[in-house]
Amino acid sequence: MRMDDTICALSTPQGMGAIAMIRISGSDTFPILEKTFKAFSPRHNPSEAKPYSLVFGKMVDGQTIVDEVMVGIFKGPHSYTGEDVAEISCHGSVYIQEQIIRLLLKNGCRMADPGEYTMRAFTAGKMDLSQAEAVADLIESESKAAHQVAMQQMRGGFSDEIKGLRTELINFASLIELELDFGEEDVEFADRTQLSELLLRIKSVISRLLESFDTGNVIKNGVPVAIVGAPNAGKSTLLNALLNEEKAIVTDVAGTTRDAIEDEISLGGVKFRFIDTAGIRETEDLVESIGIKKTFEKIEQSRIVMYLFNAQSLQDNVELIRNEIAQLQEKTKGKTLLVLANKMDLIEDATLLEKLGDVENLIPISALQKRGLKELETRLTSEINLGALNSNQTIVTNARHFSALQQSLEDILRVEQGMENNISGDFLAMDIREALKHLGSIIGEVETDRDILGNIFGKFCIGK
Ligand code: GDP
C-alpha cells in the first residue's frame, strides 16, 4: 500500500440510491479536480474554495458532462485522513458512479484499498489504532449497546486508560534504567514500594478490562441462544414469534428443522442470536441423527439454552420430558437453561405442570398465541449484565486487545515476581518494557507489524 498517491472510492453502498458519494484523498486531490470538475461559479474553483465548504458544479470528461454534483472541500491536515479530501456527491445511478470513478482514475487517482482512508487517518496521527478499529465497529454496530461501546472507544476512552497506565510504567522503567547507568554504585532511584503499588494498580485495571471482554463479546457478537426441543414442539413458531417475521420454516412434519437456522433480534439493547436446532430426540434416521449431533454442538457454543416442549405431552410422556431436561441440565453446566412449556393454550388445567416436579427456570408459554413471551424476554435480558456499560466503564470488545492485555498482565506478573526474588534492575526493566510493548500495541504506539495493520484495515469496507 503506497501512502503518497491520491485515492478514490465510492463511500456509499454499492448499487443505486438517491445520492452516491465518492471520496478522494491525497495531495493531488485538487489538481485532479481541476481537470475533472467545473464549478458553476468560477469563484468557487475547488483549490481556492474555503475548507469545509460545498461547491456546486459539474463533473466533465473533456466536453462531456458526466453529472451535476456537490463537492465537499476539506483541506489537510484538517480532514479525516489529514490530507486534502474532496467528497463528491453525485446522482445515485450506478452508471454515473462508474463514470466518475473512471474519470478520476484516468486523471491520476488510484482505487482505495479497504480501510485505506482510516489507515491514512491512523498514519497521520488523527486517531490511534484502537480508535481506528472502533470506526469499523461503529459502522457495523447493530444494537444500542454495540453502538455505545464503539462510540466510547472511538472517542478515545479506552485509549486514555491504556495511555495512563503506560505513562506511569514508562516513568518507572526510566528510573530503573537510570540505576543501571550507575552500574556498581548501589543506588535506587525507583522506589520499590511505589513500584509494587503501581503494579498492583495496573494489575487491577488490566484484570477489570480482561473481565469486561465477556460482556464486550456479547455486545459485539450477540448472545448465542440455542432453542432445543422435539420436532413439532414449536421451536420455529417461537422463533418467528420472537422475530416477528417468517424466516424459519414452520411445518407439521416432524423433524423438518434439520439444519440450524440462526437469527438475530435486539432485546433490551442487546443482540441475541437464536439458533433453532433439530432437537435431541433419539432417532434411527441418519439425517436426523446428524442434526442431533449438531444440536449438541450448538448447545456447546451457546450461552443460554431454551428447551421447549409441548405441554400436552405431560399427559402421557412426563418421563420422556424429565429425561430430556435432566440430559440438558447435564450438558448445560455453567450456562443458563430455560425450560419452556409450550402450547399452554391447549392445556385446560395448568396444574399439569406440577407433574414435572421442581424444575428451575420453568416458563409456561404459547408460541402460537404469543403468550408468556414478555416474561421470556425479561428472563433473557436479565441474563446479561450490562452494569459496566451503564456505569460508562471501558468494555473490551476486540479480541486483539484482549490478547494484548493478557500478555501485558503476564509481563506485569513477571515484574512482580522478579521484585519478590530481588532480581537485578536490568531484568526488571526488560519485563516492564515488554508490558509497555504489549499495552502500546493496542493503541499502535509501538511499531505495529504491517501484517497486523493489513489485517485490521483489510476488514473495513472500501471507501472507509
Ligand atoms: P418445530 O418442529 O419445533 O419447529 O415446531 P413448529 O414451530 O414447526 O410447530 C409445529 C406445529 O405446532 C405447528 O403446526 C405450529 O403451528 C404448532 N404450534 C407451535 N406452537 C404452538 C402453540 O403455542 N400452540 C398451539 N396450539 N400450536 C402451536
Side-chain angles (χ1 to χ4, degrees), residues 268-287:
V270 177
K271 186 166 78 174
F272 285 80
R273 281 197 346 255
F274 290 97
I275 308 149
D276 188 4
T277 73
I280 55 168
R281 196 186 60 164
E282 288 190 4
T283 172
E284 303 266 293
D285 181 323
L286 183 66
V287 185

Side-chain angles (χ1 to χ4, degrees), residues 229-240 248-257 276-277 308 310 312 342-346 365-370:
N232 271 332
K235 297 182 296 297
S236 319
T237 311
L238 173 63
L239 194 68
N240 286 335
I249 327 146
V250 186
T251 65
D252 276 332
V253 189
T256 40
T257 317
D276 188 4
T277 73
L308 189 73
N310 180 348
Q312 285 178 307
N342 190 30
K343 309 202 185 182
M344 287 304 286
D345 55 298
L346 301 177
I365 64 165
S366 164
L368 195 66
Q369 299 191 348
K370 302 193 163 83

Side-chain angles (χ1 to χ4, degrees), residues 438-449:
H438 287 129
L439 287 173
S441 72
I442 296 176
I443 43 181
E445 238 172 48
V446 286
E447 203 185 327
T448 315
D449 205 309

Side-chain angles (χ1 to χ4, degrees), residues 96-353:
I96 292 176
Q97 297 167 16
E98 282 171 5
Q99 290 306 305
I100 293 180
I101 288 180
R102 191 171 297 180
L103 182 65
L104 295 173
L105 294 178
K106 200 165 79 180
N107 284 282
C109 277
R110 148 170 88 67
M111 273 311 277
D113 289 319
E116 192 170 359
Y117 295 93
T118 309
M119 174 126 165
R120 288 183 176 206
F122 164 65
T123 311
K126 289 268 155 185
M127 54 178 85
D128 67 40
L129 205 50
S130 91
Q131 287 175 304
E133 286 169 305
V135 172
D137 290 346
L138 192 66
I139 293 174
E140 282 173 18
S141 63
E142 288 174 324
S143 67
K144 187 175 164 196
H147 168 260
Q148 186 176 331
V149 172
M151 199 62 154
Q152 206 231 16
Q153 188 176 324
M154 192 178 75
R155 302 193 60 198
F158 182 38
S159 309
D160 288 347
E161 201 147 3
I162 300 292
K163 277 185 203 146
L165 295 182
R166 286 193 85 228
T167 312
E168 291 191 79
L169 265 181
I170 287 173
N171 289 343
F172 260 104
S174 349
L175 287 175
I176 290 181
E177 276 161 9
L178 198 61
E179 288 172 10
L180 299 179
D181 289 344
F182 283 76
E184 298 303 297
E185 297 165 52
D186 207 5
V187 286
E188 247 186 37
F189 293 115
D191 183 327
R192 297 300 190 261
T193 321
Q194 270 183 26
L195 179 57
S196 300
E197 279 167 17
L198 174 67
L199 293 176
L200 215 61
R201 200 143 39 82
I202 293 184
K203 254 190 350 189
S204 104
V205 174
I206 295 182
S207 304
R208 167 168 61 70
L209 290 173
L210 284 172
E211 278 163 24
S212 78
F213 186 57
D214 199 32
T215 311
N217 205 18
V218 154
I219 290 172
K220 191 165 173 179
N221 300 318
V223 188
V225 184
I227 312 184
V228 181
N232 271 332
K235 297 182 296 297
S236 319
T237 311
L238 173 63
L239 194 68
N240 286 335
L242 286 172
L243 291 172
N244 242 342
E245 57 180 273
E246 299 277 318
K247 270 199 186 153
I249 327 146
V250 186
T251 65
D252 276 332
V253 189
T256 40
T257 317
R258 279 178 173 147
D259 218 325
I261 300 176
E262 260 190 48
D263 235 316
E264 297 175 348
I265 173 172
S266 177
L267 300 172
V270 177
K271 186 166 78 174
F272 285 80
R273 281 197 346 255
F274 290 97
I275 308 149
D276 188 4
T277 73
I280 55 168
R281 196 186 60 164
E282 288 190 4
T283 172
E284 303 266 293
D285 181 323
L286 183 66
V287 185
E288 260 187 58
S289 67
I290 293 173
I292 290 165
K293 189 164 162 273
K294 275 198 185 150
T295 301
F296 282 120
E297 282 168 20
K298 295 289 170 190
I299 289 178
E300 195 67 24
Q301 297 158 10
S302 298
R303 195 175 163 116
I304 300 175
V305 176
M306 301 199 304
Y307 169 67
L308 189 73
F309 65 94
N310 180 348
Q312 285 178 307
S313 42
L314 288 179
Q315 265 137 7
D316 345 277
N317 270 326
V318 178
E319 276 321 304
L320 188 100
I321 308 278
R322 273 195 174 163
N323 218 327
E324 289 195 332
I325 294 175
Q327 230 191 96
L328 285 170
Q329 279 168 337
E330 187 61 33
K331 289 264 180 208
T332 54
K333 293 227 164 85
K335 305 177 193 286
T336 301
L337 174 67
L338 303 180
V339 179
L340 310 181
N342 190 30
K343 309 202 185 182
M344 287 304 286
D345 55 298
L346 301 177
I347 304 295
E348 282 176 7
D349 183 6
T351 56
L352 190 64
L353 289 180

Side-chain angles (χ1 to χ4, degrees), residues 1-7 25-27 81 83 110 113 115-124 450 453 457:
M1 203 187 269
R2 286 190 46 159
M3 299 295 279
D4 52 355
D5 36 12
T6 299
I7 52 174
S25 177
S27 52
T81 56
E83 305 169 328
R110 148 170 88 67
D113 289 319
E116 192 170 359
Y117 295 93
T118 309
M119 174 126 165
R120 288 183 176 206
F122 164 65
T123 311
R450 288 207 73 78
L453 286 182
F457 291 102

